[in-house]
Amino acid sequence: MSESTSTVSMTSTAPVKGGGRQKLSLPVILLIVAGGLALFSLVRVISGANDLTSVGQVSGALQLAVPIGLAGLGGLWAERAGVVNIGLEGMMILGTWFGAWAGYQWGPWAGVLLGIIGGALGGLLHAVITVTFNVNHIVSGVAINILAVGVTRYLSNFTFDKAEGGSSRQSPRIDQITDITVPGLSGGLADLQARHWFFVSDLAGVLGGLVTHLSLLTVVAILLVPGTWWVLWRTAFGLRLRSCGENPVAAESLGVNVYKYKYIAVVISGGLAGLAGAFLAIVSTGIYQEGQTGGRGYIGLAAMIFGNWMPGGMALGAGLFGFTDGLKLRGGAENVHAMLLLVALLLVLLVAWHLYKKRYVAAVVSAAVAALLFVWYAMTDALPSQFVDAAPYVTTLLVLALSAQRLRMPKADGLPYKKGQGK
């Protein structure tokens, strides 16, 4: 049976609308965003941490969120096709090295292209190991992470070590990609944010961060989120790819070449992770340094899980982790200390929700934790530096723990598959 026929068949058997969780409308989403921003504004006013929603904080958080989001998108492509990609970290490492190696010789855009290719090679290796030879996906991913560290260290010894301004652990300086600042609008929003008005200044800070020193590669990364959604959920190609992650045996019976789609998905996954690595080397730092990924591939995987294997939710998760990571860079302990108050207020809202749902035990536990956080905030002026440094990773663990019950991964994700096994 042809793939076009299989697409029609799968479309006709797709569940009708209304059978699952009701989707949020745009006005409701905007109302939730406005409520969240108002809560941030309240925390800023009470705590005096005026940098919490400043233009610099938002701009920095966006730059920190992009590599996490690109890695998360890479994980989404692979897992929607049924392949778990723990090797995102290693593919990011390959992207940083290849991006820097090409970037300092031929320019930043050549570095971006080679970074994507480097990550895609890691994805191809992962596909060969898991799809063709049916090796456990976790084992393969961990092996790629270890291999990437060794390969890049070996290559640095006879490339960067011989180059002027480089060493065995870092590359020479790479030219920056052009960034965008909207004249007039950027300055006006920065002035409005500096007035520290309730909500209005916070909204100006968020919008200002999106139009100030915005790298062209950041714009490309942002566009990849709706692009991924459109390809995977609005095209026949995406339908066939997702069917491989839900029920590959049924997909094969309808004429889908499951191996081909898994290979495509994992190579694209590696390419996106490589792009994340190239972004780190070229845009974030302008230089390759050994170990600069810092576990962002794993945090990207966490953002994907938080987003329930959907591009929009993944982007929100990446933004959350990027924002938390940015707190320690601007204002440090003061900003993270203010977050104690924010979490306490969120828990108060959670108590009200549990009471509404008549979950009294959960309400009591949430109230007790909220009270402890209020006391902690009131009794201290700052937090230990160790806690500030650990804040992004603590946030990752808390978010995954709190969101675990609502998650629904692709049904065949990580399961071994052999052609013809359904016969």
Side-chain angles (χ1 to χ4, degrees):
M1 186 181 296
S2 66
E3 289 193 352
S4 59
T5 306
S6 69
T7 302
V8 174
S9 302
M10 282 187 287
T11 306
S12 63
T13 58
V16 296
K17 293 183 178 179
R21 183 183 299 176
Q22 185 177 3
K23 294 184 178 180
L24 297 176
S25 62
L26 181 59
V28 173
I29 293 174
L30 293 176
L31 187 62
I32 293 173
V33 171
L37 188 59
L39 189 61
F40 263 96
S41 186
L42 178 63
V43 169
R44 178 184 59 79
V45 171
I46 295 174
S47 65
N50 290 321
D51 201 40
L52 201 60
T53 54
S54 68
V55 172
Q57 167 65 27
V58 174
S59 179
L62 180 62
Q63 190 173 99
L64 290 166
V66 166
I68 295 173
L70 287 171
L73 270 185
L76 188 149
W77 272 86
E79 299 209 11
R80 278 295 175 179
V83 179
V84 175
N85 193 356
I86 295 293
L88 289 170
E89 179 76 6
M91 296 168 199
M92 280 187 72
I93 292 172
L94 293 173
T96 59
W97 192 91
F98 280 98
W101 176 70
Y104 91 90
Q105 296 184 91
W106 304 306
W109 287 110
V112 170
L113 179 60
L114 263 293
I116 294 172
I117 293 173
L121 289 175
L124 179 61
L125 177 61
H126 188 51
V128 170
I129 295 172
T130 56
V131 178
T132 301
F133 294 102
N134 257 325
V135 174
N136 182 278
H137 299 188
I138 306 298
V139 173
S140 173
V142 171
I144 287 173
N145 291 338
I146 297 171
L147 180 65
V149 173
V151 167
T152 54
R153 183 174 297 173
Y154 171 74
L155 292 174
S156 295
N157 285 329
F158 62 87
T159 52
F160 298 148
D161 192 38
K162 308 297 182 182
E164 183 179 355
S167 71
S168 61
R169 293 183 177 271
Q170 71 176 44
S171 71
R173 181 63 57 178
I174 307 166
D175 292 337
Q176 289 289 303
I177 290 176
T178 304
D179 57 27
I180 304 169
T181 296
V182 180
L185 181 60
S186 175
L189 289 171
D191 292 340
L192 189 57
Q193 180 265 317
R195 296 180 181 274
H196 306 311
W197 291 337
F198 178 79
F199 189 80
V200 175
S201 292
D202 301 278
L203 180 60
V206 171
L207 296 177
L210 299 178
V211 296
T212 305
H213 297 303
L214 192 66
S215 169
L216 290 177
L217 194 55
T218 301
V219 177
V220 172
I222 293 173
L223 292 177
L224 283 173
V225 175
T228 291
W229 174 83
W230 184 81
V231 170
L232 293 183
W233 275 269
R234 287 294 181 270
T235 67
F237 168 82
L239 176 62
R240 291 192 285 267
L241 188 146
R242 287 186 292 115
S243 72
C244 297
E246 294 292 339
N247 193 333
V249 174
E252 182 188 345
S253 69
L254 293 172
V256 175
N257 188 334
V258 176
Y259 278 9
K260 181 181 79 172
Y261 281 96
K262 284 180 179 288
Y263 262 87
I264 291 172
V266 180
V267 170
I268 292 175
S269 173
L272 288 168
L275 178 59
F279 185 95
L280 274 176
I282 298 170
V283 177
S284 297
T285 61
I287 196 171
Y288 164 81
Q289 291 177 311
E290 188 176 300
Q292 72 186 127
T293 55
R296 287 177 176 83
Y298 299 112
I299 298 179
L301 201 60
M304 178 206 68
I305 296 171
F306 166 79
N308 208 10
W309 288 265
M310 294 292 292
M314 183 283 306
L316 288 176
L320 172 63
F321 300 138
F323 178 81
T324 309
D325 202 12
L327 290 177
K328 68 181 183 181
L329 300 179
R330 296 180 59 90
E334 181 186 18
N335 284 339
V336 177
H337 184 249
M339 295 301 291
L340 291 177
L341 181 60
L342 176 65
V343 175
L345 291 173
L346 287 173
L347 285 173
V348 170
L349 296 177
L350 187 61
V351 169
W353 175 255
H354 284 317
L355 290 175
Y356 173 74
K357 291 291 186 177
K358 297 181 179 180
R359 301 169 183 164
Y360 299 115
V361 175
V364 170
V365 173
S366 299
V369 176
L372 287 174
L373 290 176
F374 276 123
V375 171
W376 189 3
Y377 175 79
M379 298 296 291
T380 58
D381 295 325
L383 295 177
S385 59
Q386 294 86 350
F387 188 88
V388 175
D389 292 337
Y393 307 101
V394 173
T395 302
T396 303
L397 293 174
L398 288 176
V399 166
L400 288 179
L402 293 174
S403 62
Q405 293 183 348
R406 68 174 182 81
L407 300 178
R408 189 263 182 201
M409 65 188 298
K411 291 182 180 178
D413 193 15
L415 299 181
Y417 164 80
K418 291 184 179 180
K419 187 175 181 180
Q421 70 181 37
K423 296 180 180 179

